[in-house]
C-alpha cells in the first residue's frame, strides 16, 4: 500500500537536502527553525479547516519541492515528517498509502542524517544500544499499527492526522 513513484522521488530528492540540513545543524540554533515550522503547520491547519486553501493538485514539481523541504528540515531539526504529512494530505493518498509512504520515504534521509551526525560527533557509541532498541520498537509498532489501520474509518484517520499536526505545531512553538 505505497505510492512507489512518490516514495522513490522523495527518497532520492530528500537525500542531499537531509545531509545539508544535518551539516547545518552543527552551527545553527534550531529554535528559530522549529518555531517557524510550528507556525507554518498551525497556519496550514487553520486555512485548510476554514476551507480557504485553494484546490491544488500536487504534481511532480510539488513532490520535488516537498521532498527537498522535507529532507532539509529533517536534517536540520532531526525530523521533517510534518512536511510529508502536509504533502501527502494534499495528494489525497489512501490511509494505507499515506502511512506506508510516510515510513518508506524516511529510510534514505535517515541514513544521510546518521552519517552526518556520526561524523560530526553528535552520535556516539553509547547511543548504539538505545538506537537499536528504538528501531526494534518501530518495527513492532508498525506491525501492530497496520492491523489497527485496516479497521480505522477514513474520517477518524483524517481527524487523527489533524490532531497530531496540531499537537506537533504547538510543541514546535513552545
Amino acid at each position: 500500500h505505497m505510492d512507489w513513484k512518490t516514495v522513490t522521488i522523495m527518497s532520492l530528492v530528500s537525500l542531499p537536502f537531509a545531509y545539508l540540513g544535518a551539516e547545518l545543524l552543527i552551527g545553527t540554533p534550531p529554535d528559530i527553525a522549529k518555531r517557524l515550522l510550528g507556525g507554518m503547520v498551525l497556519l496550514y491547519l487553520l486555512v485548510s479547516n476554514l476551507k480557504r486553501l485553494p484546490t491544488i493538485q500536487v504534481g511532480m514539481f510539488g513532490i520535488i519541492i516537498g521532498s527537498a523541504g522535507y529532507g532539509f528540515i529533517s536534517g536540520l531539526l532531526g525530523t521533517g515528517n510534518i512536511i510529508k504529512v502536509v504533502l501527502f494530505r494534499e495528494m489525497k493518498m489512501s490511509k494505507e498509502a499515506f502511512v506506508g509512504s510516510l515510513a518508506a520515504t524516511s529510510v534514505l534521509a535517515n541514513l544521510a542524517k546518521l552519517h552526518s551526525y556520526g561524523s560530526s560527533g553528535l552520535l556516539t557509541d553509547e547511543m548504539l544500544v538505545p538506537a537499536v532498541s528504538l528501531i526494534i520498537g518501530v518495527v513492532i509498532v508498525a506491525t501492530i499499527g497496520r492491523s489497527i489501520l485496516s479497521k480505522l474509518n477514513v474520517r477518524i484517520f483524517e481527524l487523527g492526522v489533524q490532531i497530531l499536526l496540531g499537537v506537533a505545531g504547538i510543541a514546535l512553538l513552545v
Side-chain angles (χ1 to χ4, degrees), residues 86-164:
V86 170
L87 182 67
F88 293 170
R89 274 191 82 217
E90 292 304 313
M91 291 175 71
K92 313 241 183 303
M93 289 184 172
S94 71
K95 61 185 181 184
E96 293 82 8
F98 182 100
V99 172
S101 298
L102 197 64
T105 52
S106 296
V107 174
L108 282 179
N110 285 337
L111 290 175
K113 291 186 298 187
L114 288 173
H115 180 270
S116 176
Y117 298 161
S119 64
S120 68
L122 287 174
L123 282 179
T124 63
D125 291 339
E126 296 84 41
M127 296 176 180
L128 184 59
V129 171
V132 170
S133 300
L134 285 172
I135 292 168
I136 292 168
V138 165
V139 171
I140 292 168
V141 169
T143 305
I144 294 168
R146 194 167 91 191
S147 68
I148 293 170
L149 183 63
S150 66
K151 297 173 179 91
L152 197 61
N153 175 309
V154 173
R155 279 189 30 223
I156 299 295
F157 176 78
E158 179 60 28
L159 179 63
V161 169
Q162 287 187 24
I163 290 170
L164 288 174

Side-chain angles (χ1 to χ4, degrees), residues 29-44 73 76-77 82-83 169 172-174:
D31 283 351
I32 295 168
K34 283 182 181 179
R35 289 196 173 116
L36 284 173
L37 183 60
M40 288 188 319
V41 168
L42 293 176
L43 181 63
Y44 165 77
I73 295 296
L76 186 64
L77 301 180
I82 289 175
I83 303 289
L172 287 167
L173 285 174
V174 177

